[in-house]
Amino acid sequence: MKPIKFGTDGWRGVIADDFTFERAGVVCQAIGEYLYEEGMAEKGVAIGYDNRFGAEEFALLAATMLTRQGIRVRLSASNCPTPVISYITKYDGMGGGVMITASHNPSAYNGIKFKPWYGGSAPPSATARFEARANELLGNFDVDAVRALGPDEALLTREDFVPAFIKHVLTFVNTEAIRAASPRILIDPLYGSSIGVLDRALREIGCTVQMMHNERNPGFGGLHPEPIALNLGPFLQAIQSMDVDGGVASDGDGDRLAAATEDGVYLSPHHVFALLLMHLAEDLGLRGGVVKTVSTTTMIDQLATRYSLPLFETPIGFKYIGQLMMEQDIMIGGEESGGIGFRGHIPERDATLIALYLVEMMVMRRTTFAGLLAQLLEVVGEHAYHRIDVLLTKPVTSEQFATLRAGLPAVIAHKAISEVSEKDGLKLIFTDGSWLLLRASGTEPLLRVYSEAADLNTVTALLDAGLELAATVGIERLNH
């Protein structure tokens, strides 16, 4: 069986295959030991879980492993979004937070995210220690014996974290203005743990909310709980027959968001990020730094220049954005997958606050989501974007990427290269502002190829050119 390995935001695996009680148990044992080593154990741990199969049982296992190490645990009384646990961890002064979730992964998966005391992603230095210790304990630690004891009830409380979280996020928006406008919103939580949180927050400030896919379904109704256009067909179709001003869709653990206009046009995370930057800078008059990952739209660059705001670009992974949010005066930070974080909240993504800001923007501009999109495009122009994930015969090597970098032609797909970035993978920026990014997975034989240009035909041509470039250094597609 493969070793336990943490990715960019936690450890996850297929339920009953590599995500088992034994393996989850040793990860939680390792987390407890880490908290003691860091002097954080006495502050206690908040534990939450999403809507996946067996999530409550795995959360109880986490509570058992930690309380049996003498660590006080506050366990969520019901499923909740990951940002709720991040919020409780940060604002209640906890030593850390544990979230049982596989985020946007398919229903066959579950996982564990750890949030240090500040409520953001755990640094690689911490996850490396979790990995090493958990793998050392595998086969040498009787998780079943500890599990049979159950949690130490003297160190365990079960709490509803949601009311405090909602009260907090509502302080960021003009609730009176929203209540007076009574916006009509469709919410698709994709059967995830935003149910009862995102809709409740909007209802509390006077929104008329309609819901779909809003019951517990560990199989996600056959849907993939990632809010990208490919997975949102039912949502985009349903909104066209509803009397609403727009719609939002969140992922499996409620930290990412996409949206749609009232006539069923998909608002990608790039559009949402750009709109909220406009809202904070223009409507609210806020100033501060802006952070984006290398795979995120140049609409953000245009807007940062327009508002004279400092712009930072990071490798892919919200942990890099979160780190900057703790080090700099960052107003907003976002990524291409739909995660956006805001100053004064948590150094993490949060679908609920993203949605609240979108609704506030719509109300302040007295329009609908379609109107917001039109206003954005009037400022930044048309942008087309696409990403493809290509399975390979074998993982990409650093030597292949080095050879590719050294032998780059001056012109690709009839476009001249003006800049090359190696911040994360190989990003080629062309003289007309379009770009192409090739990035290898660090854990599997997979090449991710991204592109943005003024139209989809150009994007397609650049993606094809990127695959041809990869082939020249022996990066071979599987079943091509």
Side-chain angles (χ1 to χ4, degrees):
M1 183 173 287
K2 62 184 179 181
I4 293 167
K5 185 170 179 58
F6 277 70
T8 56
D9 192 23
W11 165 64
R12 59 199 62 166
V14 175
I15 299 168
D17 181 3
D18 51 350
F19 191 86
T20 63
F21 284 114
E22 180 191 16
R23 292 164 71 83
V26 295
V27 167
C28 293
Q29 178 70 23
I31 288 172
E33 293 177 8
Y34 168 85
L35 290 168
Y36 274 108
E37 292 164 3
E38 294 296 309
M40 288 289 174
E42 65 179 22
K43 295 179 178 293
V45 173
I47 298 177
Y49 55 94
D50 68 10
N51 278 345
R52 291 170 184 272
F53 175 78
E56 301 98 323
E57 287 77 11
F58 282 107
L60 188 62
L61 169 69
T64 298
M65 301 305 297
L66 292 169
T67 59
R68 290 299 169 181
Q69 293 180 74
I71 298 173
R72 178 174 57 91
V73 166
R74 299 169 66 191
L75 176 62
S76 179
S78 61
N79 55 72
C80 66
T82 294
V84 170
I85 296 303
S86 290
Y87 164 77
I88 292 295
T89 299
K90 177 181 176 180
Y91 288 91
D92 284 6
M94 309 299 292
V98 172
M99 182 71 187
I100 306 298
T101 181
S103 187
H104 62 283
N105 283 62
S107 61
Y109 288 78
N110 211 330
I112 296 175
K113 292 182 178 182
F114 176 74
K115 305 296 179 184
W117 59 270
Y118 49 81
S121 297
S125 58
T127 57
R129 287 162 66 181
F130 300 157
E131 284 179 12
R133 183 56 175 153
N135 286 308
E136 180 184 355
L137 290 171
L138 267 180
N140 300 303
F141 187 88
D142 193 347
V143 170
D144 288 339
V146 181
R147 191 175 167 220
L149 294 174
D152 183 342
E153 294 292 343
L155 293 173
L156 178 65
T157 57
R158 293 170 172 83
E159 303 177 42
D160 182 1
F161 299 137
V162 171
F165 172 79
I166 291 179
K167 182 179 179 181
H168 170 75
V169 293
L170 291 184
T171 63
F172 288 83
V173 295
N174 187 332
T175 57
E176 292 184 5
I178 296 171
R179 186 172 287 110
S182 299
R184 300 158 301 174
I185 305 295
L186 171 64
I187 300 176
D188 185 355
L190 291 171
Y191 300 108
S193 57
S194 285
I195 298 169
V197 180
L198 177 52
D199 52 305
R200 179 173 166 182
L202 289 174
R203 285 191 175 103
E204 283 197 14
I205 54 175
C207 294
T208 299
V209 172
Q210 296 193 56
M211 298 279 288
M212 61 188 295
H213 303 144
N214 62 321
E215 68 272 4
R216 173 87 186 270
N217 186 327
F220 297 108
L223 297 174
H224 187 147
E226 181 179 16
I228 59 176
L230 181 65
N231 303 330
L232 293 177
F235 168 67
L236 297 174
Q237 184 174 7
I239 197 170
Q240 297 176 55
S241 61
M242 294 184 174
D243 186 19
V244 295
D245 299 308
V248 294
S250 55
D251 75 331
D253 71 327
D255 62 3
R256 303 183 190 185
L257 192 93
T261 68
E262 63 275 20
D263 47 359
V265 175
Y266 175 64
L267 288 176
S268 74
H270 301 282
H271 291 124
V272 173
F273 185 7
L275 281 169
L276 294 187
L277 175 51
M278 283 182 68
H279 177 51
L280 297 181
E282 288 188 13
D283 305 334
L284 302 183
L286 301 180
R287 289 295 179 267
V290 180
V291 193
K292 59 169 246 184
T293 59
V294 296
S295 59
T296 302
T297 177
T298 55
M299 289 189 283
I300 303 305
D301 306 59
Q302 291 176 248
L303 292 171
T305 299
R306 180 183 179 90
Y307 306 128
S308 301
L309 302 175
L311 177 67
F312 303 85
E313 186 175 77
T314 72
I316 293 171
F318 204 89
K319 62 185 178 183
Y320 300 107
I321 296 174
Q323 187 65 37
L324 266 178
M325 292 178 78
M326 293 187 291
E327 297 171 352
Q328 306 273 351
D329 179 26
I330 301 299
M331 180 177 73
I332 185 172
E335 58 184 353
E336 58 110 0
S337 60
I340 303 174
F342 305 93
R343 181 173 55 202
H345 183 31
I346 50 178
E348 262 298 356
R349 306 164 285 200
D350 181 12
T352 300
L353 187 50
I354 298 170
L356 286 167
Y357 269 135
L358 264 183
V359 170
E360 181 185 53
M361 182 181 191
M362 178 179 69
V363 166
M364 290 185 70
R365 295 186 175 223
R366 299 182 180 180
T367 186
T368 63
F369 279 17
L372 292 182
L373 178 60
Q375 291 177 21
L376 172 66
L377 297 182
E378 187 176 341
V379 172
V380 300
E382 293 288 342
H383 286 252
Y385 178 100
H386 193 53
R387 176 185 119 185
I388 55 176
D389 293 352
V390 182
L391 287 173
L392 307 173
T393 56
K394 54 188 175 183
V396 178
T397 66
S398 56
E399 291 79 10
Q400 286 174 314
F401 255 64
T403 303
L404 184 60
R405 171 68 180 92
L408 281 175
V411 176
I412 295 173
H414 308 294
K415 292 187 176 293
I417 297 175
S418 65
E419 183 183 345
V420 178
S421 169
E422 297 180 76
K423 195 167 290 177
D424 191 347
L426 191 62
K427 184 175 183 180
L428 313 179
I429 303 161
F430 304 102
T431 53
D432 66 353
S434 58
W435 55 267
L436 171 69
L437 170 65
L438 287 81
R439 179 174 173 266
S441 168
T443 57
E444 54 189 324
L446 189 69
L447 180 70
R448 294 187 170 93
V449 189
Y450 314 69
S451 181
E452 183 181 34
D455 60 86
L456 193 55
N457 286 338
T458 303
V459 166
T460 301
L462 286 171
L463 292 173
D464 289 343
L467 293 175
E468 291 173 8
L469 272 177
T472 64
V473 294
I475 298 175
E476 298 179 357
R477 301 177 65 176
L478 185 66
N479 299 325
H480 179 57

